[in-house]
Amino acid sequence: MKMCVITAMLFLVLSGQCGILAGKVNKHKPWIETSYHGVITENMDTVLLDPPLVALDKDAPVPYAGEICAFKIHGQEAPFEAEVLNRTSGEGVLRARGPIDCEQQKEYTFIIQAYDCGASPSGANWKKSHKAVVHIQVDDVNEFSPVFREPLYRATVTEGKIYDSILQVEAWDQDCSPQYSQICNFEIVTQDTPFAIDRNGNIRNTERLSYDKQQHYKIMVTAYDCGQKRAMESVPVHIDVKPVCKPGWQGWNKRVDYEPGTGSKQLFPKMHLETCDGPLSSVRAMVELQTSHIGKGCDRETYSEKSLQKLCGAASGSTDLLPAPSASTNWTASLLTDSGRDSDLIFRFDGRQAANIPEWVVPQNLTDQFTIATWMKHGPSPGLRAEKETLLCNSDKTEMNRHHYSLYVHNCRLVFLLRRDFIQLDSFRPAEFHWRLEQICDKEWHYYVINVEFPSVTLFVDGVTYEPYLVTDDWPIHPSEIDVQLTVGACWQGGEVTTPRFTQYFRGSLSGLTIRPGKIATQKVISCLQACKEGLDISSLESLGKGIKFHFNPAQSVLVMEADDLESINTAMTKVSYINSRQFPTPGLRKLHITTTVQCFGEDTCISIPDIKAMVMVLPPSEPRITIAGVERLVWPAAQLRAPVGVALFKDIHIISTVTKTDATLSIARRPGVLELMHNLDYCDVLVIGEELDPEQESLEILHSSLLGKHLDATNSTSGISIYGVDSMAHYEQAIRQVRYRNWKPGGLSERRFRLSCSELNGRYTSNEFNLEIGIVHSSEAVEHVNHMAVQSQYMRPVHHPLVVHTVNSDHISGTPPAATVVIVMCIAALVVIVVLGIYRIHTTHQDGSNEDEERRKDPEMDWDDSNLNITVNPMESIDGTQIAEEVREEEPEEEEDEDEEDDELAGDLSSAESEDSDDEEETNIQKGKVKGKLEWDPLTLPYY
């Protein structure tokens, strides 16, 4: 116990001594550099410091006091830690506590201090160095590839030009260091391209590009960073080549096909104007449809002038001075005609042709009101002082050379001369009316109408009104007994010259020259007569907006548009359309001409836009096939032909028109395997085949009532009858069915033949030639069947039976049994007795029968059509004709008011034809007595035996 106490006391003494010693031993603080610079490679943990991390202590080599035990880091939560490698030498190392990423932070700065081990093993009384600044830079690793900033690059170049830089591509790298984050090189991957690229990504062309050779290029480009790491994906570069910028319209087709019946079709749906970025204040475009080669200036329904007058509602009474040459209109036969223009009748005057109008054609009584109208195509006259060119002239026929009225062209002026006759006052009056218009000499077709309401004269050209710019007065013409001569194409000089001749010849083309005395044409009629079926149009007017102004000429062949900006004019141009409303338009091309004017601010014109020449190709329409069908042979008794109204030739005629192609725009009625097309006809001719009609004994006629309510007229002559006018096929059928043939002296005539043909568009489409043959049966001939019919006997009750046709030949006769022969002989004997009695009865009732006959002639209900009727006379039965007539009237349906009338002698002639040869004389006497003038039969609904 005592030992322990001594030991403890000794320990305390020693400890106190050691503490005093330690305080004396650990005199100095550790020493380190004031600053350190280090480098660490990202994703590594060791920091390379400069200078190295070493702490010194002047207490060395005293244990603990002269040793370094730790380095401590302060500030910024630096992701580093310091480790003492050698306590004696004071060496240490700086390490990262985790992965270092340069892309997140490139540099770190913090404070570090060194600590010695103190004065004893317990580390008591340790000392720390001063604070040193450590600056660490993170070294980058090339871990990322370059990436392009855009997924696709586009550029446009103009052909024929070398560019220093077409466009620049850009790439970037996520690496943090300049070495690895910078792009040091670009490369075009696509081989054999006329392009190159520099280090900065600028692409240029190495040769001049051609728009015609290649309009588009696609190249692939890659990039490298300064560490030569290549981009993972190349970028596409699209380069478009455009032609050298020339101001003008682009995006249009030179040819546009038009299918008939499709309505309006856009001509330039993708058209736009290129101005090469030139500043503009307004744009004016004029689209012209050139159709001077089509008919009279455009596609019109080329009907005759008379038909057009009716269609347009013009007043009747006009005289056509230039009709088609014919036997009755031969004064135009010597004139030149311009053929091949869609059947449009055009007369061409070359300065040597003229025509005298016959006196019976010349319009009479030209009062204070009349109208002159014509189509004219005329060009400038040759020579500086051209003479007058006369279209129409009414002058003295002999002795003098006074012009009463005339229409002529002189130096591109249209002049109308009107010299009034002297009345009460001998004073100056308006006599010459002058118009100066571009249309007169532009070599295009125009429609001229002169309305005279003396002393006012108004000119219409293509429906537009023009007042005369000059009116001169003259003395009236004193009346004389001199005849006048009306001429076309020149003026007749009958007096004041040695030899009467034509003078002041016209050079140009005329068509449809007419004069209408007593009335003037209305604006509506004039517009209708010159209306064009084809022209320009604008679709979707509401989409044009307020920035566009436009207007058409009257014929809609010229369209002018104006706008203040490109967008408006481009939109308007895409709406320009072509339309042709003809059912069967004239196929072929129509030229289009577009002229454009661009105005800039403060300048008249700054950009020149080339004109455009295109065409509309009108495709051939589905042509109709007009077919006339009906019975081609009829047999009529001669007595029927002698009737006052003759016989109807085409009672069952039918006219149809078919096409082989379906057209949804037309009104069509479908039948199995055929398409029937409903359209108009303009004339049908019934011609006599063989010898012409003898007006002394035969005629072709048509009831005037059959034309009422229709746009039809008819003319007839010894060669046939012509029905004309623009009207439906149904109306033509109705009219043709009323054409009747009459021959009041058939004599020995056995047959007559006729030919029917019809036309649409003045002969452009014609029907088949339907031939009809009429067989004429005379009373002396024995006929059992006529047209599968015969006249009902006036001595037989009408009994309806199925129609049966029996053929009698020699075999049947030779095969008659003896009993039948006996019966026949008895019947003949009985017939003789009946005939004798009948003669007596006829004699007693002849007078009554004649009176009754007159009454029945006046009654249209007693007229019967005996076509297709079979009647066999029963000689054993005798019934009064009046009773039969009444019974037949009950059986027969009522006829129309204009039904055919037939001769009163029909029944008698056919009855005699039905009798045996031995009874011809007796039957003839019967016909002259009781039978004559009784009834006429319509067999269409009466099939009798």
Side-chain angles (χ1 to χ4, degrees):
M1 187 67 176
K2 190 175 182 179
M3 281 295 293
C4 292
V5 173
I6 295 172
T7 303
M9 292 175 64
L10 180 61
F11 176 76
L12 291 173
V13 172
L14 291 175
S15 298
Q17 292 177 349
C18 290
I20 297 171
L21 180 60
K24 295 180 178 180
V25 172
N26 194 10
K27 298 178 180 180
H28 302 95
K29 298 177 181 179
W31 177 88
I32 58 176
E33 298 289 343
T34 57
S35 64
Y36 294 89
H37 293 274
V39 175
I40 184 173
T41 302
E42 62 178 344
N43 301 323
M44 303 294 287
D45 60 353
T46 303
V47 179
L48 299 178
L49 286 176
D50 182 26
L53 183 57
V54 175
L56 301 177
D57 197 322
K58 291 183 177 182
D59 292 328
V62 178
Y64 302 110
E67 296 177 340
I68 303 301
C69 280
F71 292 97
K72 290 186 178 182
I73 296 175
H74 307 281
Q76 298 185 359
E77 297 182 358
F80 297 96
E81 60 182 4
E83 180 184 352
V84 178
L85 297 179
N86 190 321
R87 295 171 62 175
T88 303
S89 62
E91 296 179 46
V93 65
L94 194 63
R95 289 189 175 92
R97 291 199 302 264
I100 301 297
D101 190 350
C102 179
E103 285 69 41
Q104 293 184 359
Q105 189 168 341
K106 298 180 180 180
E107 296 180 350
Y108 295 90
T109 301
F110 51 86
I111 302 298
I112 192 172
Q113 286 181 303
Y115 290 80
D116 61 16
C117 295
S120 63
S122 63
N125 296 323
W126 52 265
K127 293 183 182 294
K128 55 184 179 181
S129 68
H130 60 271
K131 295 179 180 180
V133 178
V134 180
H135 181 78
I136 298 177
Q137 180 180 351
V138 182
D139 279 353
D140 188 22
V141 175
N142 196 6
E143 55 184 335
F144 294 101
S145 300
V147 177
F148 287 95
R149 296 189 181 278
E150 302 291 340
L152 174 68
Y153 289 90
R154 290 185 177 275
T156 301
V157 298
T158 303
E159 64 175 344
K161 185 177 180 180
I162 297 294
Y163 289 82
D164 294 333
S165 177
I166 297 173
L167 78 161
Q168 183 181 23
V169 297
E170 293 182 296
W172 66 286
D173 197 309
Q174 296 184 36
D175 291 314
C176 66
S177 65
Q179 179 181 5
Y180 300 134
S181 64
Q182 292 183 357
I183 307 301
C184 285
N185 195 19
F186 291 92
E187 181 182 353
I188 295 178
V189 179
T190 307
Q191 300 294 321
D192 300 327
T193 61
F195 301 97
I197 191 170
D198 61 15
R199 292 179 177 271
N200 295 321
N202 294 306
I203 299 177
R204 58 183 177 85
N205 56 319
T206 58
E207 62 184 52
R208 300 182 187 277
L209 305 179
S210 172
Y211 177 82
D212 296 332
K213 181 179 179 181
Q214 189 168 345
Q215 302 174 10
H216 180 77
Y217 291 90
K218 178 181 178 182
I219 60 176
M220 302 300 295
V221 176
T222 190
Y224 295 89
D225 61 19
C226 293
Q228 292 303 306
K229 194 173 187 68
R230 180 175 174 173
M232 296 294 293
E233 295 183 0
S234 299
V235 67
V237 178
H238 292 185
I239 300 176
D240 295 320
V241 180
K242 70 176 182 179
V244 176
C245 185
K246 297 177 181 178
W249 292 100
Q250 297 181 4
W252 55 278
N253 294 324
K254 188 173 183 180
R255 167 173 166 167
V256 179
D257 290 340
Y258 179 82
E259 185 175 355
T262 56
S264 179
K265 182 172 183 178
Q266 288 179 274
L267 296 175
F268 315 107
K270 298 181 180 179
M271 192 175 192
H272 64 277
L273 181 62
E274 175 64 61
T275 60
C276 298
D277 298 327
L280 56 90
S281 60
S282 66
V283 182
R284 182 180 186 271
M286 183 175 70
V287 184
E288 182 181 2
L289 180 68
Q290 298 176 341
T291 57
S292 58
H293 61 293
I294 304 297
K296 291 192 288 281
C298 82
D299 218 8
R300 291 181 169 89
E301 300 288 9
T302 51
Y303 296 114
S304 66
E305 187 65 25
K306 287 187 177 180
S307 297
L308 287 175
Q309 296 279 349
K310 275 201 169 186
L311 283 176
C312 293
S316 60
S318 65
T319 301
D320 187 0
L321 301 182
L322 287 176
S326 66
S328 59
T329 58
N330 57 2
W331 68 88
T332 60
S334 62
L335 301 180
L336 299 176
T337 57
D338 224 347
S339 59
R341 292 177 179 265
D342 194 20
S343 304
D344 205 3
L345 187 60
I346 293 172
F347 293 91
R348 183 165 53 87
F349 297 86
D350 60 0
R352 291 176 290 183
Q353 287 84 25
N356 280 326
I357 309 300
E359 291 184 4
W360 61 270
V361 179
V362 176
Q364 302 297 322
N365 301 323
L366 289 186
T367 61
D368 288 345
Q369 287 189 343
F370 62 94
T371 297
I372 299 176
T374 186
W375 285 93
M376 182 177 73
K377 180 181 180 181
H378 181 263
S381 304
L384 297 177
R385 298 184 63 184
E387 67 175 12
K388 299 176 181 179
E389 298 181 50
T390 302
L391 287 73
L392 179 68
C393 181
N394 184 268
S395 59
D396 290 334
K397 195 171 187 178
T398 59
E399 300 183 26
M400 304 179 70
N401 190 33
R402 298 176 302 176
H403 293 186
H404 295 258
Y405 64 87
S406 65
L407 180 65
Y408 61 90
V409 175
H410 189 208
N411 291 327
C412 292
R413 290 177 300 157
L414 185 66
V415 182
F416 177 63
L417 170 68
L418 180 60
R419 300 284 302 280
R420 303 304 304 269
D421 291 338
F422 174 81
I423 46 176
Q424 294 180 352
L425 297 178
D426 191 2
S427 61
F428 268 14
R429 294 191 176 190
E432 278 191 346
F433 304 84
H434 300 249
W435 294 271
R436 183 186 290 114
L437 302 173
E438 295 180 358
Q439 295 92 319
I440 297 172
C441 288
D442 64 359
K443 299 182 180 180
E444 301 290 344
W445 280 104
H446 299 285
Y447 186 56
Y448 298 82
V449 177
I450 295 179
N451 273 348
V452 178
E453 287 183 291
F454 193 80
S456 175
V457 178
T458 304
L459 172 67
F460 294 83
V461 180
D462 297 332
V464 179
T465 306
Y466 296 94
E467 297 294 334
Y469 80 93
L470 175 65
V471 177
T472 59
D473 296 338
D474 202 347
W475 294 102
I477 294 180
H478 289 272
S480 66
E481 300 299 327
I482 302 175
D483 293 333
V484 293
Q485 176 66 61
L486 183 63
T487 57
V488 174
C491 198
W492 180 256
Q493 188 172 4
E496 301 178 356
V497 290
T498 304
T499 304
R501 58 185 175 85
F502 285 113
T503 185
Q504 300 176 5
Y505 283 98
F506 177 69
R507 294 176 178 84
S509 297
L510 297 177
S511 180
L513 176 59
T514 61
I515 297 182
R516 180 184 294 105
K519 295 181 180 179
I520 62 172
T522 64
Q523 176 78 54
K524 182 179 179 181
V525 171
I526 294 172
S527 298
C528 175
L529 289 173
Q530 63 90 34
C532 188
K533 295 290 184 177
E534 67 176 343
L536 299 173
D537 190 19
I538 292 184
S539 59
S540 303
L541 290 175
E542 62 279 359
S543 64
L544 290 182
K546 299 181 180 179
I548 188 73
K549 299 177 183 179
F550 67 92
H551 66 271
F552 291 93
N553 68 332
Q556 285 199 209
S557 60
V558 177
L559 168 62
V560 178
M561 299 181 293
E562 296 183 10
D564 297 334
D565 57 273
L566 275 181
E567 182 179 357
S568 296
I569 198 71
N570 288 339
T571 301
M573 191 61 73
T574 61
K575 306 296 182 182
V576 178
S577 304
Y578 169 81
I579 188 170
N580 194 321
S581 59
R582 280 190 67 177
Q583 193 173 15
F584 307 110
T586 305
L589 63 87
R590 278 83 162 141
K591 295 181 180 179
L592 287 168
H593 188 205
I594 302 178
T595 56
T596 311
T597 303
V598 177
Q599 290 186 346
C600 297
F601 294 97
E603 299 182 28
D604 292 336
T605 57
C606 57
I607 301 174
S608 178
I609 306 297
D611 291 353
I612 283 181
K613 294 183 178 180
M615 67 179 68
V616 177
M617 179 60 69
V618 178
L619 303 178
S622 300
E623 298 189 354
R625 180 179 180 182
I626 306 172
T627 304
I628 304 175
V631 176
E632 298 182 355
R633 176 171 174 78
L634 297 173
V635 179
W636 294 96
Q640 189 86 7
L641 301 181
R642 288 195 296 267
V645 294
V647 296
L649 295 180
F650 305 100
K651 200 65 177 165
D652 64 342
I653 205 70
H654 291 285
I655 305 174
I656 61 172
S657 179
T658 57
V659 293
T660 57
K661 178 182 178 182
T662 303
D663 193 336
T665 63
L666 303 180
S667 173
I668 55 177
R670 297 181 178 273
R671 293 183 181 179
V674 69
L675 290 174
E676 186 173 338
L677 183 64
M678 306 307 295
H679 61 91
N680 294 328
L681 301 177
D682 53 9
Y683 69 81
C684 286
D685 290 336
V686 179
L687 300 178
V688 180
I689 302 178
E691 294 183 2
E692 293 190 357
L693 299 177
D694 184 355
E696 298 296 329
Q697 66 180 31
E698 57 183 340
S699 67
L700 271 178
E701 299 174 355
I702 183 171
L703 294 177
H704 178 71
S705 60
S706 63
L707 303 179
L708 295 178
K710 306 178 180 67
H711 295 293
L712 298 179
D713 281 323
T715 59
N716 59 358
S717 64
T718 57
S719 59
I721 189 168
S722 178
I723 304 172
Y724 61 90
V726 181
D727 214 328
S728 65
M729 291 186 292
H731 281 178
Y732 265 93
E733 277 187 2
Q734 296 171 12
I736 293 171
R737 289 173 182 174
Q738 300 302 321
V739 174
R740 312 181 73 83
Y741 170 66
R742 184 183 177 216
N743 192 324
W744 50 95
K745 295 179 181 179
L749 189 66
S750 61
E751 67 175 12
R752 257 300 189 184
R753 291 184 298 150
F754 302 91
R755 176 174 297 156
L756 171 64
S757 62
C758 296
S759 156
E760 159 70 343
L761 292 178
N762 204 18
R764 177 175 173 183
Y765 302 113
T766 56
S767 69
N768 60 309
E769 293 183 345
F770 177 79
N771 295 318
L772 173 66
E773 182 177 331
I774 293 181
I776 302 174
V777 179
H778 298 275
S779 59
S780 60
E781 301 176 14
V783 200
E784 183 175 354
H785 301 290
V786 178
N787 298 341
H788 300 291
M789 61 185 174
V791 174
Q792 169 76 30
S793 171
Q794 297 200 21
Y795 304 103
M796 176 181 175
R797 289 184 181 273
V799 180
H800 291 272
H801 293 287
L803 181 62
V804 179
V805 179
H806 299 284
T807 303
V808 180
N809 55 36
S810 59
D811 294 337
H812 293 156
I813 296 175
S814 62
T816 305
T821 305
V822 174
V823 173
I824 293 173
V825 172
M826 293 178 64
C827 290
I828 293 174
L831 178 60
V832 173
V833 175
I834 292 172
V835 168
V836 173
L837 295 175
I839 293 173
Y840 176 77
R841 184 176 178 181
I842 290 170
H843 178 72
T844 60
T845 60
H846 175 72
Q847 186 65 32
D848 295 337
S850 300
N851 296 336
E852 189 180 28
D853 176 63
E854 291 298 325
E855 295 177 358
R856 295 184 187 280
R857 287 189 181 184
K858 296 178 181 179
D859 188 358
E861 296 293 337
M862 301 299 289
D863 294 340
W864 303 86
D865 188 347
D866 63 346
S867 58
N868 298 321
L869 176 63
N870 275 348
I871 302 175
T872 304
V873 177
N874 184 353
M876 301 300 294
E877 186 174 5
S878 177
I879 301 176
D880 181 63
T882 305
Q883 179 182 0
I884 293 176
E886 293 173 353
E887 295 180 4
V888 171
R889 185 185 301 277
E890 295 174 359
E891 296 286 338
E892 182 68 9
E894 185 177 350
E895 293 292 327
E896 297 179 359
E897 291 184 0
D898 59 350
E899 191 57 63
D900 310 339
E901 297 180 358
E902 299 167 353
D903 195 352
D904 296 356
E905 299 179 54
L906 168 63
D909 287 338
L910 284 184
S911 298
S912 65
E914 293 282 31
S915 64
E916 299 291 337
D917 293 342
S918 62
D919 300 322
D920 287 345
E921 184 177 352
E922 290 81 355
E923 287 296 318
T924 303
N925 293 331
I926 292 174
Q927 296 161 12
K928 293 180 179 178
K930 176 79 175 191
V931 178
K932 181 177 181 182
K934 285 299 180 182
L935 295 177
E936 298 175 4
W937 305 89
D938 186 347
L940 296 179
T941 57
L942 299 176
Y944 298 134
Y945 277 97

